[in-house]
Amino acid sequence: MQTLQLCIALGPLAAYLFLVGLINSRRRPFLTSGARDMAVLGIALSGFFIIGPLQLFVPDTAADRFGPYIWLVMITLYSLAWTLGVLLMRPRLIIYNITTDQLRPILATTVKQLDPEMRRAGQCLIMPQLEIQLTVEPAGPLRCIQLAAAGPTQDAAGWRKLEIALAKSLKQAQAPVNRYAIALMAVAVLIGGIVTFRMARDPQMVSQQLEEMLRL
């Protein structure tokens, strides 16, 4: 793989891994929506799409006519396609740096305050007043938990109320340092170091590769 392609592919990914590691190294939980989480993931993977499908399917005629500006069009198309996918996803909330045992009492108290009619059906929480049905799904050693919509009919306003109330409740929670977070940050720094070294070793070649890619 060329140095420029390596930088484009791994640069955003390294930044994403470092960000996730930094969040998980905190002593407090971090809450975000599924849409924001997927949007950041889309940025992290954008480099692979640029050197892969986008570069492969750039129309030669359009590239010759518009020059480097064709990349603005291709990146815009990628952004719109990813945004459409995010909008079509069912609602969910992502909570980093917390265990299931820690979350359960906080979630139960918050939900009862929002909807006294809340009831359980197996692993599903049903909140008729908010028009929400969700399941609690842990996601591995990073102590990441997602509250995922459990049915097709969901109220976006209800999910927003739950997000705001749960964010306030989580401010009092604390968690021990996650050793996997340190490993993620170390991997991110290693990737960044490799990319920087490759670019600094022969900047003239990187400049030439950029000109070829942009067809200048």
Side-chain angles (χ1 to χ4, degrees), residues 122-134:
Q123 299 295 323
C124 182
L125 293 180
I126 301 174
M127 289 160 274
Q129 292 185 3
L130 296 180
E131 299 183 22
I132 292 176
Q133 300 177 25
L134 61 85

Side-chain angles (χ1 to χ4, degrees), residues 1-215:
M1 181 181 292
Q2 294 181 348
T3 301
L4 179 64
Q5 292 178 331
L6 187 70
C7 178
I8 293 174
L10 297 184
L13 180 62
Y16 175 78
L17 292 177
F18 189 85
L19 176 63
V20 173
L22 187 63
I23 289 173
N24 280 276
S25 67
R26 299 174 60 193
R27 299 300 297 270
R28 295 187 182 277
F30 177 81
L31 173 68
T32 187
S33 67
R36 289 192 291 268
D37 188 71
M38 286 301 297
V40 175
L41 180 61
I43 296 174
L45 298 178
S46 61
F48 290 96
F49 283 90
I50 289 175
I51 68 170
L54 296 186
Q55 188 173 15
L56 181 62
F57 293 109
V58 169
D60 291 334
T61 304
D64 293 337
R65 180 174 180 179
F66 298 105
Y69 296 105
I70 189 63
W71 282 104
L72 293 177
V73 177
M74 300 300 291
I75 293 174
T76 299
L77 289 176
Y78 166 76
S79 302
L80 292 175
W82 193 274
T83 301
L84 177 62
V86 170
L87 294 175
L88 293 177
M89 291 175 55
R90 292 183 180 180
R92 62 192 179 109
L93 297 176
I94 312 296
I95 309 170
Y96 288 95
N97 203 31
I98 194 170
T99 63
T100 306
D101 292 337
Q102 287 178 305
L103 179 63
R104 281 173 180 168
I106 298 174
L107 180 61
T109 302
T110 303
V111 168
K112 287 180 180 178
Q113 292 175 349
L114 291 174
D115 190 349
E117 299 180 7
M118 182 275 296
R119 62 182 185 273
R120 294 178 179 272
Q123 299 295 323
C124 182
L125 293 180
I126 301 174
M127 289 160 274
Q129 292 185 3
L130 296 180
E131 299 183 22
I132 292 176
Q133 300 177 25
L134 61 85
T135 57
V136 180
E137 303 176 2
L142 280 177
R143 294 203 300 255
C144 175
I145 299 174
Q146 67 174 353
L147 308 180
T153 303
Q154 304 284 336
D155 185 9
W159 277 93
R160 181 57 181 165
K161 292 178 182 178
L162 177 61
E163 180 182 356
I164 295 174
L166 192 56
K168 292 181 180 179
S169 301
L170 289 171
K171 289 182 179 180
Q172 307 301 324
Q174 289 190 351
V177 176
N178 191 344
R179 65 177 184 271
Y180 291 100
I182 307 301
L184 269 182
M185 295 172 69
V187 170
V189 171
L190 177 61
I191 294 175
I194 293 173
V195 171
T196 303
F197 173 76
R198 288 281 299 269
M199 294 188 66
R201 187 174 61 178
D202 196 347
Q204 185 175 358
M205 179 179 293
V206 174
S207 177
Q208 181 180 351
Q209 293 171 356
L210 180 61
E211 291 179 358
E212 292 176 355
M213 180 179 177
L214 297 179
R215 305 192 182 191

